[in-house]
């Protein structure tokens, strides 16, 4: 076994970058630590501007041939990648659980199958991507999607492989070449993806994977003049730096950022359903950008809602995410745990009350928390915590509910619980959000547009919207005159 190989639950993982179809080591490494027990998994090649330049050069060199590859052949290779993912679902699941602490059962049942589906969906969508020709004064307009070029994809740690392939799959389907930079806290499954893609026959240089810290390699990628698209999922401050970096080259951006989404519970709602939706917000230890972390509950049912919520949340089991009985695992990193606890302690000091939780547990685990007596303009209501911390406020009228729901700088998602279709129609029309769920949560379809409003993001991806971003759209206008009839 190579000095650059580590093993997780019997799965061998190369810790080097994947550039131009070859493994490339860096002079330095950085530690990858499991949030489950704080153990060091291994040292990962720590990329710099040198590796960034090499990856972009490889992507640029591979772009003409990949862009010229037929849609059918691109789709075939994407399906082959999906086949490779499906063959390794168990391996990918245990590696990612070890790396980011999310539930093993969730990876097996939902997350890794979704990774394969990401490739299959965009492969199939590519084959039916078209715009009907239309006429202008006898001239024919034909719309086409041309590959844009090398694309830098920077992905988060909360669902590493699923969110990476949400970007990689449409970028490759569009005919672009890719430089994937996974989050430094969760780099392992991206390395395995490089192996799977190579085994599936993806040409060298079409997918490159580089690892490291944003300040050391990310800036070099996003400022590179040969990069034609940048897609990023993460925090607002990092997005601002990326936007500044990309501005010099006018590189188009897609940004999916933070959220502070509301769950509106009206008195006419099915209260058991509303409570189920509320408890679901602790999924992935609260590390979900779409989570409805602000409960807005009509005054007349607030007490009963809270009682039922506390009872149901008390049934959750927190512990080792590899255990099938576990409902909530650890938080990703000591720095994130410190951030979460800081939010809670400042809120309590300002007068909030922890109905449940409000404290750390052993290791990197934070107790599921619900805070009441929170002011609308307080930090805990206005800022994203990204942990198992929820707040509860009450409202008296529908107008007040909408006002409170929209009163943050974010606009990623919103969830609504009501028994009245007319109310649902009125309220959802007024909510500022990229996605609104009514009497459900986290129902996602890849053909739907996805993204956020305000500080929750720029642009939309999914279905044709993904191809609109990863491609240069072209309209070709043809005159009926001027043909020489030479056949």
């Amino acid at each position: 076994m190579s000095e650059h190989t580590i093993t997780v639950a019997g799965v061998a993982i190369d810790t080097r970058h994947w550039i131009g179809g070859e493994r490339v080591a860096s002079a330095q490494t950085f530690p990858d630590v499991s949030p489950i027990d704080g153990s060091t998994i291994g040292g990962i090649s720590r990329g710099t501007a040198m590796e960034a330049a090499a990856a972009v050069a490889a992507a640029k060199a591979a772009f003409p041939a990949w862009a010229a590859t037929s849609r059918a052949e691109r789709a075939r290779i994407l399906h082959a990648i999906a086949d490779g993912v499906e063959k390794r679902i168990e391996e990918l699941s245990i590696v990612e659980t070890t790396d980011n602490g999310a539930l093993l059962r969730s990876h097996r049942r939902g997350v890794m199958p979704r990774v394969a589906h990401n490739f299959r969906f965009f492969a199939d969508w590519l084959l039916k991507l078209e715009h009907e020709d239309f006429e202008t004064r006898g001239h024919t307009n034909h719309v086409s999607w041309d590959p844009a070029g090398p694309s830098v994809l920077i992905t988060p740690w909360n669902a590493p492989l699923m969110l990476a392939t949400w970007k990689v799959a449409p970028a490759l389907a569009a005919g672009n070449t890719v430089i994937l930079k996974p989050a430094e806290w969760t780099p392992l499954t991206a390395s395995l993806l490089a192996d799977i893609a190579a085994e599936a026959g993806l040409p060298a240089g079409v997918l490159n994977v580089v690892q490291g810290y944003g300040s050391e390699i990310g800036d070099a990628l996003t400022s590179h003049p040969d990069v034609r698209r940048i897609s990023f999922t993460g925090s607002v401050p990092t997005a601002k730096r990326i936007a500044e970096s990309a501005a010099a080259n006018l590189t188009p951006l897609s940004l999916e950022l933070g959220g502070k989404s509301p769950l509106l519970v009206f008195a006419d709602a099915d209260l058991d359903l509303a409570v189920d939706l509320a408890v679901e917000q602790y999924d992935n230890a609260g590390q979900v950008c779409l989570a409805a972390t602000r409960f807005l509950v009509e005054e007349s049912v607030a007490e009963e809602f809270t009682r039922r919520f506390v009872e149901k949340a008390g049934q959750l089991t927190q512990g080792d995410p590899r255990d099938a009985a576990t409902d909530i695992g650890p938080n990703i990193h000591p720095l994130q745990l410190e951030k979460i606890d800081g939010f809670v302690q400042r809120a309590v000091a300002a007068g909030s009350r922890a109905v449940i939780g409000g404290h750390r547990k052993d290791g990197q685990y934070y107790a599921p928390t619900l805070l009441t007596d929170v002011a609308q303009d307080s930090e805990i209501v206005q800022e994203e915590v990204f942990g198992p911390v929820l707040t509860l406020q009450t409202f008296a009228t529908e107008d007040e509910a909408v006002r409170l729901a929209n009163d943050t700088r974010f606009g990623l998602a919103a969830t609504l619980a009501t028994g009245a279709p007319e109310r649902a129609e009125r309220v959802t029309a007024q909510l500022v959000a990229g996605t609104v769920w009514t009497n459900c949560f986290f129902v996602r379809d890849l053909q739907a547009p996805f993204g956020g409003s305000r500080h929750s993001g720029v642009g939309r991806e999914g279905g044709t919207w993904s191809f609109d971003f990863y491609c240069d759209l072209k309209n070709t206008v043809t005159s009926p005159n001027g043909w020489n009839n030479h056949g």
Side-chain angles (χ1 to χ4, degrees), residues 1-16 41-43 88 192 195:
M1 186 174 290
S2 163
E3 63 177 307
H4 300 293
T5 302
I6 60 175
T7 303
V8 175
V11 181
I13 306 160
D14 199 307
T15 62
R16 294 172 292 179
I41 301 171
R88 302 184 69 175
L192 292 176
D195 295 335

Side-chain angles (χ1 to χ4, degrees), residues 208-486:
N208 306 274
V209 179
V210 291
Q211 304 144 161
Y213 298 114
S215 59
E216 296 177 350
I217 192 169
D219 291 346
L221 290 171
T222 57
S223 64
H224 200 292
D226 290 334
V227 169
R228 294 315 313 139
R229 293 293 186 273
I230 299 170
S231 181
F232 168 74
T233 297
S235 71
V236 173
T238 301
K240 289 181 178 180
R241 291 198 298 272
I242 290 173
E244 290 175 358
S245 183
N249 302 307
L250 293 178
T251 308
L253 296 166
S254 177
L255 304 174
E256 195 265 280
L257 310 177
K260 196 68 180 177
S261 303
L263 166 60
L264 293 82
V265 179
F266 289 91
D268 57 18
D270 177 333
L271 215 53
D272 286 334
L273 172 62
V275 169
D276 287 344
L277 295 173
V279 173
E280 196 175 345
Q281 308 312 312
Y282 287 131
D283 182 47
N284 202 18
Q287 299 167 144
V288 177
C289 59
L290 293 162
T293 57
R294 297 184 294 131
F295 298 166
L296 304 174
V297 185
E298 193 162 354
E299 290 174 351
S300 61
V301 296
E303 184 176 344
E304 179 63 13
F305 172 88
T306 303
R307 184 190 69 78
R308 295 192 200 185
F309 175 85
V310 170
E311 179 181 355
K312 192 169 185 67
Q315 299 169 8
L316 297 173
T317 299
Q318 188 167 25
D320 192 320
R322 296 166 295 192
D323 188 329
T326 297
D327 300 303
I328 302 177
N331 290 100
I332 184 69
H333 193 277
L335 292 176
Q336 185 67 15
L337 195 72
E338 189 72 28
K339 175 186 172 185
I340 293 166
D341 192 51
F343 271 111
V344 172
Q345 299 314 317
R346 289 190 296 273
V348 170
S352 298
R353 179 172 67 93
V355 178
I356 59 171
H359 57 86
R360 303 184 192 195
K361 303 176 80 172
D362 292 338
Q364 287 175 212
Y365 296 78
Y366 204 87
T369 299
L370 177 66
L371 299 174
T372 60
D373 303 324
V374 293
Q376 179 63 23
D377 62 354
S378 63
E379 177 192 57
I380 198 66
V381 170
Q382 294 294 326
E383 298 298 327
E384 185 177 46
V385 178
F386 223 62
V389 178
L390 311 171
T391 63
L392 188 148
Q393 298 166 269
T394 62
F395 62 84
T397 67
E398 188 178 293
D399 287 345
E400 184 183 12
V402 171
R403 178 181 61 79
L404 292 172
N406 288 339
D407 187 21
T408 74
R409 63 193 174 104
F410 297 102
L412 187 56
T415 303
L416 173 66
T418 177
E422 301 83 2
R423 184 196 302 279
E425 185 175 352
R426 284 195 308 271
V427 172
T428 56
Q430 299 176 74
L431 294 174
V432 179
T435 301
V436 180
W437 287 287
T438 301
N439 293 328
C440 60
F441 177 66
F442 219 58
V443 179
R444 292 272 310 276
D445 193 309
L446 288 179
Q447 65 184 315
F450 180 77
S453 304
R454 297 175 175 167
H455 280 210
S456 287
V458 175
R460 295 291 185 272
E461 295 186 41
T464 300
W465 289 275
S466 286
F467 289 95
D468 288 347
F469 171 68
Y470 286 110
C471 292
D472 289 324
L473 268 74
K474 177 189 294 178
N475 185 44
T476 300
V477 183
T478 303
S479 169
N481 303 312
W483 304 115
N484 58 23
N485 295 318
H486 286 175

